[in-house]
Amino acid sequence: MEASRVLPQSFYARRPDVVAAELLGKLLVRVIDSNRIAGVIVETEAYFGPEDPASRARHRKGDLAETMRGPVGYTLIYGVHRQWLLNIVAHEEGEYGAVLIRSIKVSDTVVEGPGRLTRYLLVDKKLHKKPVYDPSSGLCILDFRTAGPDCIERRKRVGVRRDLDVPLNFSIRSECYPVFSTHFP
């Protein structure tokens, strides 16, 4: 894996919605021993701080809120319904934020849903607070493709009862998938 292709920590030092949109088309890579499991990110969701009713930071307390306000580019992994969810901390300085990775495309298959994604990549709590900009962390994100605005669809976040007024779920339109189905590096 070329370290020069790993997205730098500075990539995540922006608003969560900007990072969520720009992660589409990037390559999520899990390394276990010398084996690589990889997929193109095709769906994400942005979460903000206490002003966001669906955010883990809404109460400003606890490990999840502290992690969401901590250094950018680190994993935030927590369990929901006996499944691990993979988030990447992303925010402007002094703010809270994270991006949930919801789906990846692997060859001709889409691994849909954050629980299926973590099972597929063998992600669990042991990877909590690991830097995705460090290839030795076991999980990193590489610059791969850019999803142009015509390929991005925005919707309300999935499974959220109380949401913000702006759609914060970002996905690559299925008709654009052939562009992202080339062999991975």
Side-chain angles (χ1 to χ4, degrees):
M1 181 172 359
E2 296 175 40
S4 64
R5 294 190 51 216
V6 175
L7 294 176
Q9 185 177 22
S10 59
F11 177 88
Y12 306 97
R14 299 177 291 155
R15 290 175 47 98
D17 53 342
V18 172
V19 174
E22 291 187 16
L23 279 173
L24 297 175
K26 305 304 183 212
L27 192 63
L28 179 60
V29 180
R30 172 77 165 105
V31 179
I32 303 169
D33 300 321
S34 59
N35 299 313
R36 284 178 15 159
I37 306 168
V40 175
I41 298 170
V42 294
E43 184 183 6
T44 59
E45 286 182 350
Y47 289 85
F48 290 87
E51 73 281 6
D52 183 344
S55 174
R56 295 290 166 175
R58 69 185 173 276
H59 301 298
R60 299 179 194 246
K61 297 179 192 169
D63 177 60
L64 298 179
E66 289 175 25
T67 303
M68 285 182 74
R69 192 169 188 182
V72 298
Y74 279 73
T75 57
L76 167 65
I77 298 174
Y78 60 88
V80 172
H81 306 298
R82 299 184 343 193
Q83 298 185 76
W84 297 112
L85 303 185
L86 169 62
N87 297 261
I88 311 301
V89 177
H91 57 75
E92 294 175 308
E93 189 172 336
E95 298 293 329
Y96 294 82
V99 175
L100 172 65
I101 310 297
R102 287 196 50 85
S103 301
I104 58 174
K105 185 169 187 336
V106 181
S107 298
D108 293 330
T109 304
V110 176
V111 179
E112 291 183 295
R116 287 186 189 104
L117 181 143
T118 55
R119 281 194 306 278
Y120 178 79
L121 294 174
L122 304 175
V123 168
D124 60 21
K125 194 69 171 182
K126 289 180 263 179
L127 289 172
H128 182 53
K129 296 185 183 180
K130 299 287 184 187
V132 295
Y133 55 85
D134 179 354
S136 69
S137 72
L139 188 69
C140 62
I141 300 177
L142 303 180
D143 197 1
F144 185 59
R145 300 273 192 264
T146 300
D150 293 344
C151 283
I152 296 176
E153 183 173 40
R154 290 185 71 165
R155 299 181 297 251
K156 290 290 198 179
R157 293 179 289 193
V158 178
V160 171
R161 285 185 216 131
R162 291 182 55 224
D163 207 348
L164 295 172
D165 292 334
V166 60
L168 295 172
N169 174 288
F170 301 85
S171 62
I172 294 177
R173 295 179 190 279
S174 60
E175 60 268 19
C176 293
Y177 280 178
V179 173
F180 296 96
S181 63
T182 59
H183 293 291
F184 304 134

